[in-house]
C-alpha cells in the first residue's frame, strides 16, 4: 500500500525507522563501523544500509529484492516510541515519489489525502534535507546519498573508529 500511495516503484527498498541501535540489530548486521556511526550520529539524519540479519524474515518489498536493509533512528521521540512499541516501522518521506517532502501534517494530508488512514502531527519538520545514506556492506563504506549529515562528519567517525581499532591491536 505504501508503494501505491506514494506512486513509488517496488524495486526500490523501504528504510525502517527503529527505536535504537539494539532494535536495528534485530533486522540488520551491525558491523563495527556501523556501530561507530550509530553511536556518534543516532538519533538523527543518518540511514545505515546493512546486510539483512539471518532470520530477520523481512519481506522482499522492503529490501528491494536485495540482501540489504536501510535503518534509521529518527531524532523525534514519537517515531522512536512507536518503533519501540510495535517494532521497526517501514517508512519513507511523506510525499509522492519525486516530489518535495511535506514539512507538516497539513502538507502530508494535502499531498497524500485519502491514501493514508492516519497522520500523527508531531509538529513541523526541522528541515527539508533528507537523511544521509551510508552503505556499510561495502569496504570501505560508501555514501549513497548526501544529506543532512555532512560527508566529512561521516568520514571522521569512520577514521576515528579505524584508528581506535589499530591502537588496540598495537603491542
Amino acid at each position: 500500500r505504501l508503494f501505491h500511495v506514494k506512486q513509488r516503484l517496488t524495486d526500490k527498498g523501504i528504510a525502517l525507522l527503529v527505536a535504537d541501535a539494539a532494535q536495528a540489530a534485530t533486522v540488520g548486521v551491525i558491523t563495527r563501523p556501523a556501530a561507530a556511526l550509530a553511536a556518534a550520529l543516532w538519533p538523527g539524519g543518518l540511514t545505515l544500509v546493512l546486510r539483512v540479519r539471518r532470520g530477520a524474515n523481512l519481506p522482499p518489498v522492503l529490501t528491494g529484492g536485495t540482501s540489504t536493509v536501510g535503518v534509521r533512528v529518527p531524532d523525534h521521540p514519537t517515531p522512536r516510541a512507536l518503533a519501540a512499541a510495535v517494532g521497526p516501522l517501514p517508512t519513507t518521506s511523506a510525499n509522492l515519489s519525486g516530489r518535495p517532502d511535506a514539512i507538516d501534517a497539513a502538507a502530508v494530508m494535502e499531498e497524500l489525502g485519502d491514501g493514508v488512514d492516519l497522520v500523527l502531527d508531531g509538529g513541523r519538520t526541522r528541515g527539508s534535507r533528507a537523511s544521509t545514506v551510508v552503505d556499510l556492506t561495502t569496504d570501505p563504506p560508501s555514501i549513497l546519498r548526501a544529506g543532512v549529515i555532512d560527508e566529512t562528519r561521516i568520514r571522521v567517525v569512520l577514521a576515528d573508529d579505524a584508528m581506535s581499532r589499530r591502537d588496540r591491536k598495537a603491542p
Side-chain angles (χ1 to χ4, degrees):
R1 182 170 176 205
L2 182 61
F3 288 93
H4 175 73
V5 169
K6 286 185 56 75
Q7 300 173 12
R8 180 179 166 127
L9 299 174
T10 57
D11 64 345
K12 192 174 178 185
I14 297 288
L16 298 173
L17 293 185
V18 294
D20 52 32
Q23 191 175 55
T26 67
V27 294
V29 176
I30 304 290
T31 60
R32 184 166 175 109
L37 288 171
L41 302 170
W42 276 352
L46 175 67
T47 300
L48 301 179
V49 176
L50 308 171
R51 294 212 180 281
V52 173
R53 174 164 298 290
R54 175 179 268 147
N57 200 27
L58 297 176
V61 70
L62 283 181
T63 64
T66 70
S67 61
T68 65
V69 62
V71 293
R72 183 165 71 88
V73 176
D75 61 0
H76 195 287
T78 302
R80 288 196 314 267
L82 282 170
V86 302
L89 304 169
T91 188
T92 70
S93 55
N95 61 341
L96 296 176
S97 285
R99 302 218 354 148
D101 293 350
I103 58 170
D104 59 28
V108 172
M109 290 305 299
E110 184 177 320
E111 181 82 9
L112 301 178
D114 293 337
V116 295
D117 295 328
L118 173 71
V119 173
L120 293 177
D121 188 348
R124 188 176 172 94
T125 62
R126 294 185 183 136
S128 61
R129 288 196 69 195
S131 66
T132 300
V133 179
V134 179
D135 185 348
L136 288 138
T137 67
T138 62
D139 188 21
S142 57
I143 296 176
L144 299 180
R145 178 179 73 195
V148 70
I149 297 177
D150 185 76
E151 179 177 348
T152 301
R153 179 75 176 116
I154 302 289
R155 300 284 177 220
V156 166
V157 170
L158 292 172
D160 287 350
D161 176 62
M163 285 179 50
S164 170
R165 277 187 281 157
R166 280 192 295 272
D167 289 347
R168 282 190 214 126
K169 289 181 183 179

